[in-house]
Structures are given as structure tokens and as C-alpha cells.
Amino acid sequence: MTATSGLGSPQLASPDLLRSVFRRHAAGVAVITAQNGAGPVGFTATSLTSVSAEPPLLSFGIGTGASSWPVISEAEHVGVHILGEHQRELAATFARSGADRFGAPTGWRSGPEGVPVLDDVLAWLVCRVVARVPAGEHRIVLAEVVLGDPSGAGQPLLYHQGRFNGLRD
């Protein structure tokens, strides 16, 4: 390995290095939802990725220790919601452990395939889960888009440096 002038001091791979680097990576904010007999679950995700246009596939990551994992691990369908900058509090609620994520003031309804669909988002999708791939203490969920609505108004919410932010010109 050679040092490159002006790049600081390289660090060996570690969980802290990965976290530090990805704090500098601005990511869109999504909420993933699912439902089982016990009720709805959901969590904030910044790992949402478009995988393929044909067929329309996306992926997201979830920790196996997350409170939503037991439902996501068995769900046939999930909801994917792209949040707007006006939804910082909603993003924080779905990121907070132990929060009543579907209680007031969260607006939602039961959507197609019984998936919880959040109100006032920029866009939402209902997706059929096609695979759950082990990745360390996480799972990468691959899901095929079934239907959705891209017509919400506003600018996207971003996650950067540990905070939710709006998009700036």
C-alpha cells in the first residue's frame, strides 16, 4: 500500500472506520414497513438501492437484531416509502428503538397486500420479497416491485453526518 499525499492517515478496516466513512456519504431516507398478525412494523433505512429495472428489483439492509426483523424475515410483501424533507420527525420515530411507530401522529393505512402505507411521502412501493441474503449481522433483502405511487410533492430527506437534512442547491 502506498500513501497518497493530502489524504490523511489511512486506517485499517474496522467497524468504526466504516461508520466514519459512511457518515460522510449522504443517503436518501426511506421507511420500510410490513405487517403480520400482531400488527405493523417498520424501520428507517438509508441502505435502499435500485438493483434492476427488468425485472424491477430493489434491495435494503436490516440488522437481525432489529425489532422489525422477525416480521421482515417472514413477510411476503414490504412497503418502501421515500421520505420528504418535511418528514424529519417521522424518520426519527421509525429510527428510534421502542417508539410507537404507528401511533399518532403517524398517518398510515393498510395498502395492497396488507402492507402499511405511510401518508404524505414522496413516493411509495409495495414489493414482493424474493430473497434474504446473509451479510454479517444483517440481511440484504431483495424485493420485486409490484406497484407504487411516485406522485408525492416535495424534496427528498437526506441522512448525512448522523442527522436528517434537506437537499440544498
Side-chain angles (χ1 to χ4, degrees):
M1 176 165 59
T2 60
T4 304
S5 175
L7 292 183
S9 302
Q11 300 174 26
L12 292 175
S14 71
D16 286 339
L17 173 63
L18 186 66
R19 286 185 196 103
S20 293
V21 168
F22 273 88
R23 276 188 199 102
R24 295 178 171 267
H25 174 71
V29 181
V31 168
I32 310 298
T33 61
Q35 174 96 16
N36 72 4
V41 300
F43 65 97
T44 300
T46 57
S47 61
L48 181 66
T49 303
S50 171
V51 174
S52 168
E54 286 295 327
L57 294 172
L58 59 80
S59 71
F60 60 87
I62 179 172
T64 57
S67 61
S68 296
W69 171 243
V71 174
I72 300 292
S73 73
E74 296 181 353
E76 290 184 27
H77 292 86
V78 295
V80 176
H81 307 82
I82 308 300
L83 300 191
E85 63 185 354
H86 62 285
Q87 295 178 303
R88 287 179 174 90
E89 278 304 311
L90 183 68
T93 297
F94 276 84
R96 195 170 25 255
S97 180
D100 181 6
R101 296 172 179 160
F102 290 90
T106 301
W108 67 282
R109 64 191 179 286
S110 182
E113 304 296 340
V115 171
V117 175
L118 300 176
D119 293 345
D120 202 26
V121 295
L122 296 187
W124 60 268
L125 299 166
V126 170
C127 303
R128 182 179 59 83
V129 174
V130 296
R132 295 171 185 87
V133 181
E137 76 279 6
H138 282 68
R139 295 296 179 269
I140 305 300
V141 178
L142 290 169
E144 183 173 8
V145 175
V146 174
L147 59 88
D149 181 358
S151 66
Q155 294 293 315
L157 182 62
L158 300 177
Y159 188 72
H160 181 250
Q161 294 286 38
R163 294 187 0 222
F164 297 113
N165 298 286
L167 184 64
R168 295 185 225 344
D169 291 331

